[in-house]
Structures are given as structure tokens and as C-alpha cells.
Amino acid sequence: MVTRVATVAFEGIEARSVDVQVQVTSGNVNFILVGLPDKAVAESRERVRAALIASGLALPAKRITVNLAPADLPKEGSHYDLPIALGVMAAIGAIPPDALAGYAVLGELALDGSLTAVAGVLPAAIAAYARGQGLICPAACGPEAAWAAADIDILAPRSLIQLANHFKGTQVLARPQPSVARQAGPLPDLGDIRGQESAKRVLEIAAAGGHNLLMNGPPGAGKSMLASRLPSILPPLSPRELLEVSMVHSVAGHLAEGALTDRRPFRAPHHSASMAALVGGGLQAKPGEVSLAHHGVLFLDELPEFQAQALDALRQPMETGDVLISRANHRAVYPARFQLVAAMNPCRCGKATEPGYACRRQPNERCMAQYQTRISGPMLDRIDIVIDVPAVTAADLLLPAAGEGSAEVAARVAVARQAQTARFEALNLPNVTTNAACPAPVLDQIARPDGAGLNLLRDAAEAMRLTARGYHRVLKVARTLADLDGEAKVGRIHLAEALSYRSRIDQVAQAA
Ligand SMILES: Nc1ncnc2c1ncn2[C@@H]1O[C@H](COP(=O)(O)OP(=O)(O)O)[C@@H](O)[C@H]1O
Ligand SMILES: [Mg+2]
């Protein structure tokens, strides 16, 4: 007889159904695992054997065959331990044969029979619920699974024995509750920054519309400091965004203790990051920084120091909001709708823009141009706002702390975001929540400037030789400026400001 246990295999954040089939027959004593398992799955045999023995169940002196079906879907990871062990237990009569019906199962076993947390429980639970199944997972992942639905049936035992007792009815497992991660203290506050009023204003605009931002300035001007204050003014994730973000983090194995958080992700990979680390991939086609930053911020400090190839790989996800990773045996799509915030020095020495500074190697302009060529034109074209962050003066540092902190700015950002969400919902585009993500064809409807604005835009587009993308990005920023002003229509003043943030791109691109 064949015992069947339902489990999943991950393709990106999709959990595909996998059937674990266990057959115990007479014949040579052996434990065979087939169905395209990778190394971690193949090792599962040893963990299952040890865990069963530790739980007081010796494997029968028979031939045990385990098949993971469908056989052509690659199986990766350690979460097959538990379905295999339960399949064997059902096959030898250690648990009732129908106990596992209606459950999807995943979990890793320790040698002592306890269960270890695994990645991907949230997407597995959501997929199981959609198929009308419950979920059996390790206790540590229970709170995560409980987010899938209010009425999903979850068994989250600590060990094999605890689960067997539950099925026998001697120890009933309680349903885990969804938990929210405890925040590690308050975020750094915008109020800490002295002076830099225009940079703070731009940070507010970028936050309000989800716009990509590049800050250019000498070392010590406070660029990194400004970027690290962005999370404190961004609105919290909506419930739907929270689930989307958490699915990616779950598959990546980043959800500590199964707790979710409504803080927007802020990812700041070092400039030595490889292409696979940034866009995803590697052996198991894991999500990269662009996907971990989904619905949040990807901060690239010292932008020109990143590998050119890695930076150019960001271009496609910046446009489409997702990333397709293809490997020999794998194909995974991960969401990657992130807001890019980047910082750079004007040149290698960092001081080219300082009055009176002369580069020892070559004229300042050449030094700057050489450094800026490291960022490609197409990359710059995807940035909505470029600003210069000048060095902060001693006079600024001596000023008393600013009256306005992150809370006040966040309130204005939240109002502007609400206006955007409502507008896109009315247009039947529920997936779009920010002006930055607005599809170009819709822009004509929502950001049509008034007469004076149109004239300005026409002249500027010609003078600045805006690309089509550049033109649309100017309109998006202008729309955000109007939203911050609470205006229904985009006016000339909004366009003028939006164009001023774009003009720096031309200068950088020309240098490049
Ligand atoms: N406007 C400012 N107000 C207060 N402190 C500042 C300001 N700008 C810079 N600093 C101080 O200088 C340090 C360096 O700033 P940082 O953001 O790392 O500069 P950058 O990234 O531009 O090189 C900060 O940690 C902070 O202590
Ligand atoms: Mg810095």
C-alpha cells in the first residue's frame, strides 16, 4: 500500500503541490528516496531515520521507497523531512492512516525528533488554504502560518512525539496566533539633521511618490544620514503589501520567529555585492536585494563603486517591478517593486565641487566626469530626482535642532499617499499605489498640466532633450508635488520644480 502526504516545492514565491508517496514492502532492507531531490533532500533520509529512532520508533526491517511527485519538479531544501517522516509513520501504523488527509506538511527534523523552522511557511500556508487544506509545520513557524487566513487549520508541534500524541488525542495542540515583530527601538529621526532644508524637502517628495532618488555631494555632507531617515517618514505597509513582502522574506528564510512587520523594508547592500546578491539567483534561485526591498527602499550608498554589471542588472526590475531568474533547472519570478535611493561623491577624491579645491591628478571636471561615467545613461534615465547635497557648514551645525521631526513629515507623506491610493483605486488599478509606479498611459489622465504648464513642459522637453521615459518621470514627480500641495491639478509651479530635479541628470549624463 502507498501512503500519501501533501507538501510543496517553491518556484519563486509560488508553492507548488508535491506528493510524498511512501511504500513499505518486503525485500532488501533499504531506504530509497527518488523524485529529483537535491543534496539537502537526499540527506533527509538520515535525519528521518535518526528522528524516528529518537521518538521510539525503529524503522521496520523492510524496503522503504519514498517518491516525491511530480518527479520533474526540482525539490530543494530541508522541509521534506517532516512529510517523509509522517508518511513512514502512517505506513507503519504509528499514526492513524487518515490523520494526514487534508493537511499540507513541511518542516525540518533534528536528530532528536524535534522540529526546526524552515523557509517558505507563509506562501505554503496561503497555497494550502487556497486548496482547502490545513498546514502542519514546526512550532517556530506557527505564528507565520497563522497569517494566511483567520480560519486555516494549523498544527504546529515542537516534536514528532507531540504530533503523534495530538493524533492519538492524548495532547491537543493549540492553534498558533499571528504575531507582529517587536520593533527594535525607534527609527533614526529627521530632526537630527541640521540645515540641509532642500535635501529634506526632496526626501519628503521621494517618500510621498515612491520616486527614485540620487544624492550627489562631498563626503560627510550627510547623504547616508539622510537616506537612513527615509524609513521614518514612509507610511506603514498596507495589509496586502505586508503579505506580499512577507512572502518574499519567508522564502528567503528571513522571518525571525515567524513574526511579520508592517515597517517598509530598507535594504542597504554593500557596494561589493554581486549580481546574484542584488537581483537574486545563486544555486537555489533565492530572492535578491531587489526583491527583499519589495514595497520598500533599496539604498545603494557609493553608487559608482558598485560593479557596472550589477547596476545594469537593476534596470529591468526598475522598469517592470519584478525579476525573472532563470537557471538550468529553475525558473522563478520574484516581485521587485522597490524605490531606489542612491548616494555618490562627485568624484573619486570627493571634493571636486569644493570651492578652491584642485585635483592633483587632473582638472576637476575630468576627475568628476571619469567618476560619473561609472553609472550608465540608461540607469540615470530611470532616476526621477537628482540633487546636490552640499557640505554642511559649521553655522548649520551650531543651529538649534529643527522644530520639525519625522512625525510631522510622515503625516504629510501619508496624506499624499492616501490621495494616490484613492486615485488609482478609482481608476481600477488596485496594484498601483504610488505615482512612481503609475503606468505611462494613465499619466495623461492623472497628471495633465494646465496651459501654462504645458508650454513650460514643451519648451523644457526640447531644451533638455528629455527621453520619453524622462518626460514621464517629470510628470510623475509633478503629480506628487501637486499631491503634497493637496491640488487636484498639476500646475506650472509643480512642473518647474519637477524639471529642476531632472536637470541635474542631464549634467551628470553629459559628464558621462
Ligand atoms: N546636516 C547634518 N546635521 C548633523 N550631523 C551631520 C549632518 N551632516 C553630517 N553630519 C554628521 O556627519 C556624519 C557623516 O555623515 P554621512 O551621512 O555619513 O555623510 P556622507 O554619507 O555624505 O559621506 C554623520 O554621521 C553625522 O554625524
Ligand atoms: Mg556616506
Side-chain angles (χ1 to χ4, degrees):
M1 205 193 78
V2 176
T3 319
R4 290 197 147 84
V5 185
T7 182
V8 292
F10 296 103
E11 272 185 348
I13 55 170
E14 305 278 333
R16 303 245 175 276
S17 275
V18 167
D19 206 19
V20 177
Q21 304 163 356
V22 183
Q23 190 181 41
V24 181
T25 53
S26 47
N28 285 351
V29 177
N30 208 343
F31 190 166
I32 303 165
L33 187 58
V34 295
L36 212 57
D38 82 339
K39 189 92 176 84
V41 183
E43 286 172 349
S44 152
R45 270 187 324 184
E46 301 308 319
R47 288 192 295 269
V48 168
R49 194 196 306 270
L52 286 178
I53 292 172
S55 312
L57 293 165
L59 283 182
K62 288 191 168 173
R63 182 183 174 86
I64 302 175
T65 311
V66 176
N67 178 32
L68 306 175
D72 60 352
L73 188 67
K75 321 290 184 314
E76 284 173 344
S78 53
H79 67 266
Y80 296 99
D81 292 4
L82 186 59
I84 292 173
L86 291 180
V88 172
M89 283 165 80
I92 63 178
I95 53 176
D98 58 350
L100 302 171
Y103 284 106
V105 183
L106 76 172
E108 178 182 324
L109 285 172
L111 297 185
D112 62 357
S114 61
L115 297 181
T116 312
V118 287
V121 167
L122 181 62
I126 289 175
Y129 185 71
R131 290 181 203 118
Q133 294 171 323
L135 191 82
I136 303 181
C137 66
C141 303
E144 183 183 332
W147 277 95
D151 56 343
I152 180 173
D153 183 8
I154 300 167
L155 298 179
R158 300 202 168 280
S159 64
L160 271 183
I161 297 180
Q162 219 184 14
L163 186 62
N165 287 345
H166 173 84
F167 286 138
K168 270 189 239 154
T170 53
Q171 180 188 14
V172 175
L173 288 167
R175 184 184 189 279
Q177 293 305 315
S179 73
V180 174
R182 245 180 299 132
Q183 306 296 6
L187 293 164
D189 198 281
L190 216 50
D192 305 338
I193 297 176
R194 307 289 157 87
Q196 303 291 24
E197 293 309 326
S198 52
K200 282 193 238 177
R201 155 112 179 129
V202 163
L203 206 61
E204 177 177 339
I205 298 165
H211 299 292
N212 297 334
L213 167 68
L214 171 61
M215 291 181 279
N216 189 346
K223 303 180 297 292
S224 307
M225 193 181 183
L226 279 158
S228 65
R229 265 66 183 173
L230 186 54
S232 67
I233 58 172
L234 286 171
L237 291 166
S238 73
R240 223 187 55 188
E241 289 173 333
L242 177 123
L243 272 190
E244 268 180 47
V245 170
S246 305
M247 298 241 276
V248 180
H249 285 250
S250 172
V251 167
H254 285 231
L255 286 184
E257 286 157 24
L260 274 52
T261 166
D262 66 354
R263 262 191 199 170
R264 284 185 192 268
F266 182 84
R267 307 288 305 184
H270 187 252
H271 56 71
S272 62
S274 69
M275 197 157 98
L278 275 184
V279 296
L283 211 53
Q284 307 202 340
K286 285 274 178 209
E289 293 294 338
V290 293
S291 300
L292 295 170
H294 184 50
H295 286 315
V297 177
L298 180 68
F299 176 44
L300 302 183
D301 208 352
E302 313 294 353
L303 187 70
E305 303 292 340
F306 279 80
Q307 295 170 27
Q309 203 193 9
L311 282 188
D312 285 338
L314 298 182
R315 276 153 41 180
Q316 183 257 324
M318 282 171 82
E319 209 71 357
T320 58
D322 55 21
V323 54
L324 169 71
I325 301 161
S326 287
R327 290 290 175 272
N329 63 351
H330 240 292
R331 204 168 157 279
V333 183
Y334 288 108
R337 184 158 298 290
F338 59 92
Q339 175 182 7
L340 178 74
V341 175
M344 65 184 281
N345 295 329
C347 68
R348 179 130 200 102
C349 349
K351 300 185 197 157
T353 48
E354 252 173 50
Y357 175 79
C359 182
R360 258 179 286 140
R361 297 176 303 157
Q362 51 191 340
N364 284 6
E365 273 63 44
R366 288 262 305 276
C367 186
M368 269 184 357
Q370 222 172 46
Y371 197 57
Q372 291 172 356
T373 43
R374 298 193 190 193
I375 308 165
S376 70
M379 179 79 187
L380 282 175
D381 202 23
R382 285 163 170 79
I383 292 177
D384 309 351
I385 304 178
V386 177
I387 50 153
D388 285 318
V389 182
V392 15
T393 59
D396 275 338
L397 290 177
L398 288 172
L399 284 175
E404 193 176 66
S406 289
E408 290 86 355
V409 181
R412 290 198 296 267
V413 169
V415 172
R417 282 259 180 146
Q418 271 158 19
Q420 296 166 54
T421 318
R423 181 181 312 128
F424 291 118
E425 250 167 35
L427 289 168
N428 210 7
L429 290 168
N431 285 327
V432 182
T433 50
T434 58
N435 290 332
C438 173
V442 184
L443 267 180
D444 253 357
Q445 285 179 52
I446 65 163
R448 190 156 183 81
D450 55 19
L454 271 179
N455 286 339
L456 173 70
L457 190 58
R458 191 172 311 120
D459 295 347
E462 239 161 62
M464 293 164 63
R465 287 211 224 112
L466 282 182
T467 59
R469 185 185 288 121
Y471 174 86
H472 288 140
R473 294 203 173 237
V474 167
L475 279 182
K476 289 175 184 181
V477 175
R479 180 65 260 175
T480 302
L481 291 167
D483 284 337
L484 277 171
D485 281 353
E487 303 270 358
K489 237 178 142 37
V490 173
R492 187 187 151 88
I493 179 172
H494 305 127
L495 275 168
E497 189 174 350
L499 282 163
S500 75
Y501 298 137
R502 185 78 200 178
S503 60
R504 274 292 292 136
I505 296 188
D506 279 354
Q507 290 165 28
V508 178
Q510 266 161 25

